[in-house]
Short mmCIF file of all heavy atoms in Angstrom, two decimals:
data_model
loop_
_atom_site.label_atom_id
_atom_site.label_comp_id
_atom_site.label_asym_id
_atom_site.label_seq_id
_atom_site.Cartn_x
_atom_site.Cartn_y
_atom_site.Cartn_z
N GLU A 276 29.98 92.62 37.25
CA GLU A 276 30.83 91.41 36.65
C GLU A 276 31.40 90.55 37.87
O GLU A 276 31.38 89.33 37.90
CB GLU A 276 31.80 91.77 35.67
CG GLU A 276 32.60 90.54 35.14
CD GLU A 276 33.61 90.92 34.07
OE1 GLU A 276 33.66 92.16 33.76
OE2 GLU A 276 34.44 90.14 33.58
N ARG A 277 32.13 91.27 38.77
CA ARG A 277 32.84 90.68 39.87
C ARG A 277 31.79 90.10 40.94
O ARG A 277 32.06 88.86 41.34
CB ARG A 277 33.61 91.64 40.59
CG ARG A 277 34.49 91.15 41.73
CD ARG A 277 35.52 92.09 42.09
NE ARG A 277 35.00 93.32 42.60
CZ ARG A 277 34.69 93.57 43.91
NH1 ARG A 277 34.94 92.59 44.86
NH2 ARG A 277 34.17 94.68 44.39
N LYS A 278 30.72 90.61 41.15
CA LYS A 278 29.70 90.05 42.15
C LYS A 278 28.52 89.33 41.40
O LYS A 278 27.64 88.87 42.28
CB LYS A 278 29.12 91.31 42.99
CG LYS A 278 30.39 91.85 43.88
CD LYS A 278 29.93 92.71 44.86
CE LYS A 278 30.84 93.32 45.80
NZ LYS A 278 30.38 94.29 46.83
N GLY A 279 28.38 89.28 40.17
CA GLY A 279 27.48 88.53 39.50
C GLY A 279 26.07 89.14 39.76
O GLY A 279 25.06 88.54 39.86
N LYS A 280 26.01 90.57 39.78
CA LYS A 280 24.70 91.20 40.05
C LYS A 280 24.35 92.10 38.82
O LYS A 280 25.12 92.31 37.97
CB LYS A 280 24.80 92.00 41.35
CG LYS A 280 25.05 91.17 42.56
CD LYS A 280 25.03 92.12 43.77
CE LYS A 280 25.12 91.24 44.99
NZ LYS A 280 25.14 92.04 46.29
N LYS A 281 23.25 92.68 38.88
CA LYS A 281 22.79 93.54 37.86
C LYS A 281 22.36 94.94 38.39
O LYS A 281 21.24 95.37 38.28
CB LYS A 281 21.63 93.03 37.09
CG LYS A 281 22.09 91.72 36.22
CD LYS A 281 20.99 91.17 35.46
CE LYS A 281 21.30 89.99 34.61
NZ LYS A 281 20.32 89.41 33.93
N ARG A 282 23.25 95.50 39.04
CA ARG A 282 22.91 96.91 39.77
C ARG A 282 22.66 97.96 38.69
O ARG A 282 23.48 97.89 37.63
CB ARG A 282 24.00 97.26 40.62
CG ARG A 282 24.11 96.45 42.01
CD ARG A 282 25.27 97.02 42.73
NE ARG A 282 25.51 96.22 43.92
CZ ARG A 282 25.05 96.42 45.24
NH1 ARG A 282 24.06 97.37 45.25
NH2 ARG A 282 25.34 95.72 46.24
N ARG A 283 21.89 98.87 38.91
CA ARG A 283 21.67 99.96 37.91
C ARG A 283 22.62 101.20 38.33
O ARG A 283 22.75 102.04 37.61
CB ARG A 283 20.31 100.34 37.90
CG ARG A 283 19.38 99.28 37.34
CD ARG A 283 17.92 99.77 37.13
NE ARG A 283 17.23 98.77 36.43
CZ ARG A 283 15.88 98.89 36.16
NH1 ARG A 283 15.31 100.07 36.46
NH2 ARG A 283 15.19 97.99 35.52
N GLU A 284 22.97 101.24 39.63
CA GLU A 284 23.85 102.28 40.17
C GLU A 284 25.00 101.77 41.17
O GLU A 284 24.62 100.68 41.84
CB GLU A 284 23.12 103.50 40.69
CG GLU A 284 22.24 103.06 41.82
CD GLU A 284 21.45 104.31 42.32
OE1 GLU A 284 21.17 105.15 41.58
OE2 GLU A 284 20.94 104.30 43.45
N LEU A 285 26.01 102.37 41.33
CA LEU A 285 27.02 101.94 42.44
C LEU A 285 26.49 102.18 43.72
O LEU A 285 25.93 103.16 44.08
CB LEU A 285 28.26 102.74 42.07
CG LEU A 285 29.12 102.42 40.90
CD1 LEU A 285 30.26 103.43 40.78
CD2 LEU A 285 29.77 101.03 41.07
N PRO A 286 26.77 101.29 44.71
CA PRO A 286 26.51 101.54 46.13
C PRO A 286 27.20 102.80 46.54
O PRO A 286 28.34 103.02 45.96
CB PRO A 286 27.06 100.30 46.82
CG PRO A 286 27.20 99.33 45.77
CD PRO A 286 27.53 100.02 44.54
N ARG A 287 26.54 103.53 47.41
CA ARG A 287 27.16 104.78 47.76
C ARG A 287 28.28 104.48 48.82
O ARG A 287 28.41 103.45 49.50
CB ARG A 287 26.10 105.66 48.47
CG ARG A 287 25.53 105.21 49.74
CD ARG A 287 24.39 106.12 50.31
NE ARG A 287 23.85 105.67 51.45
CZ ARG A 287 24.35 105.97 52.66
NH1 ARG A 287 25.35 106.78 52.74
NH2 ARG A 287 23.59 105.64 53.76
N PHE A 288 29.09 105.49 49.08
CA PHE A 288 30.17 105.46 50.16
C PHE A 288 29.86 106.60 51.15
O PHE A 288 29.38 107.64 50.63
CB PHE A 288 31.69 105.67 49.54
CG PHE A 288 32.62 105.46 50.53
CD1 PHE A 288 33.16 104.28 50.74
CD2 PHE A 288 33.04 106.53 51.28
CE1 PHE A 288 34.21 103.91 51.61
CE2 PHE A 288 34.09 106.30 52.21
CZ PHE A 288 34.64 105.08 52.40
N PRO A 289 30.10 106.34 52.50
CA PRO A 289 30.84 105.20 53.07
C PRO A 289 29.87 103.97 53.05
O PRO A 289 28.69 103.99 53.22
CB PRO A 289 31.00 105.73 54.42
CG PRO A 289 29.98 106.71 54.71
CD PRO A 289 29.61 107.37 53.38
N GLN A 290 30.48 102.85 52.92
CA GLN A 290 29.74 101.65 52.91
C GLN A 290 29.23 101.41 54.40
O GLN A 290 30.00 101.57 55.42
CB GLN A 290 30.88 100.39 52.65
CG GLN A 290 30.12 99.19 52.46
CD GLN A 290 29.18 99.04 51.14
OE1 GLN A 290 29.64 99.57 50.15
NE2 GLN A 290 28.15 98.27 51.17
N GLU A 291 28.04 100.98 54.48
CA GLU A 291 27.45 100.86 55.83
C GLU A 291 27.67 99.30 56.13
O GLU A 291 27.60 98.55 55.34
CB GLU A 291 26.02 101.24 55.87
CG GLU A 291 25.73 102.70 55.72
CD GLU A 291 24.42 103.09 55.87
OE1 GLU A 291 23.63 102.33 55.44
OE2 GLU A 291 24.14 104.32 56.30
N HIS A 292 27.81 99.06 57.47
CA HIS A 292 28.00 97.78 57.97
C HIS A 292 26.96 97.40 58.98
O HIS A 292 26.52 98.12 59.76
CB HIS A 292 29.33 97.61 58.68
CG HIS A 292 30.59 98.04 57.92
ND1 HIS A 292 31.08 97.16 56.90
CD2 HIS A 292 31.12 99.19 57.73
CE1 HIS A 292 32.04 97.86 56.29
NE2 HIS A 292 32.22 99.06 56.80
N LYS A 293 26.45 96.15 58.95
CA LYS A 293 25.61 95.58 59.95
C LYS A 293 26.41 95.23 61.13
O LYS A 293 27.47 94.49 60.94
CB LYS A 293 24.81 94.32 59.54
CG LYS A 293 23.85 94.63 58.50
CD LYS A 293 22.89 93.49 57.99
CE LYS A 293 21.86 93.89 57.10
NZ LYS A 293 20.90 92.64 56.67
N VAL A 294 26.07 95.81 62.27
CA VAL A 294 26.82 95.68 63.51
C VAL A 294 26.01 94.89 64.61
O VAL A 294 24.87 95.33 64.90
CB VAL A 294 27.27 96.87 64.04
CG1 VAL A 294 28.17 96.83 65.24
CG2 VAL A 294 28.05 97.76 63.01
N ASN A 295 26.45 93.84 65.08
CA ASN A 295 25.89 93.19 66.32
C ASN A 295 25.87 94.05 67.46
O ASN A 295 27.14 94.52 67.82
CB ASN A 295 26.48 91.76 66.56
CG ASN A 295 26.32 90.73 65.28
OD1 ASN A 295 25.23 90.92 64.78
ND2 ASN A 295 27.07 89.91 65.21
N VAL A 296 24.84 94.44 68.10
CA VAL A 296 24.74 95.17 69.21
C VAL A 296 24.56 94.38 70.54
O VAL A 296 23.70 93.63 70.66
CB VAL A 296 23.61 96.17 69.13
CG1 VAL A 296 23.60 97.13 70.19
CG2 VAL A 296 23.70 96.91 67.73
N TYR A 297 25.46 94.75 71.43
CA TYR A 297 25.35 94.14 72.83
C TYR A 297 25.07 95.29 73.79
O TYR A 297 25.73 96.32 73.70
CB TYR A 297 26.77 93.41 73.15
CG TYR A 297 26.98 92.16 72.40
CD1 TYR A 297 27.61 92.28 71.15
CD2 TYR A 297 26.58 90.97 72.63
CE1 TYR A 297 27.87 91.21 70.26
CE2 TYR A 297 26.88 89.75 71.95
CZ TYR A 297 27.50 89.97 70.74
OH TYR A 297 27.76 88.92 69.87
N GLU A 298 24.10 94.98 74.73
CA GLU A 298 23.80 95.87 75.67
C GLU A 298 25.02 96.19 76.55
O GLU A 298 25.71 95.22 77.03
CB GLU A 298 22.61 95.44 76.52
CG GLU A 298 21.31 95.40 75.67
CD GLU A 298 20.20 95.04 76.69
OE1 GLU A 298 20.30 94.94 77.95
OE2 GLU A 298 19.14 94.88 76.22
N ASP A 299 25.46 97.54 76.67
CA ASP A 299 26.67 97.89 77.40
C ASP A 299 27.93 97.19 76.94
O ASP A 299 28.83 96.95 77.54
CB ASP A 299 26.44 97.52 78.81
CG ASP A 299 25.33 98.33 79.53
OD1 ASP A 299 25.24 99.52 79.12
OD2 ASP A 299 24.72 97.85 80.43
N ARG A 300 27.97 96.73 75.58
CA ARG A 300 29.01 96.04 74.94
C ARG A 300 29.23 94.72 75.69
O ARG A 300 30.34 94.26 75.74
CB ARG A 300 30.23 96.90 74.92
CG ARG A 300 30.10 98.22 74.27
CD ARG A 300 29.89 98.14 72.82
NE ARG A 300 31.03 97.73 71.99
CZ ARG A 300 31.05 97.68 70.71
NH1 ARG A 300 30.01 97.94 69.97
NH2 ARG A 300 32.21 97.33 70.14
N GLY A 301 28.31 94.24 76.42
CA GLY A 301 28.55 92.94 77.11
C GLY A 301 27.97 91.84 76.38
O GLY A 301 27.82 91.82 75.14
#
Side-chain angles (χ1 to χ4, degrees):
E276 180 181 353
R277 185 165 60 89
K278 296 190 175 182
K280 296 183 178 181
K281 295 183 179 180
R282 293 181 183 271
R283 294 186 177 181
E284 59 182 25
L285 287 170
R287 67 186 182 87
F288 188 90
Q290 189 71 30
E291 293 182 334
H292 303 281
K293 287 185 177 180
V294 181
N295 291 330
V296 180
Y297 294 84
E298 292 185 9
D299 297 326
R300 304 293 287 184

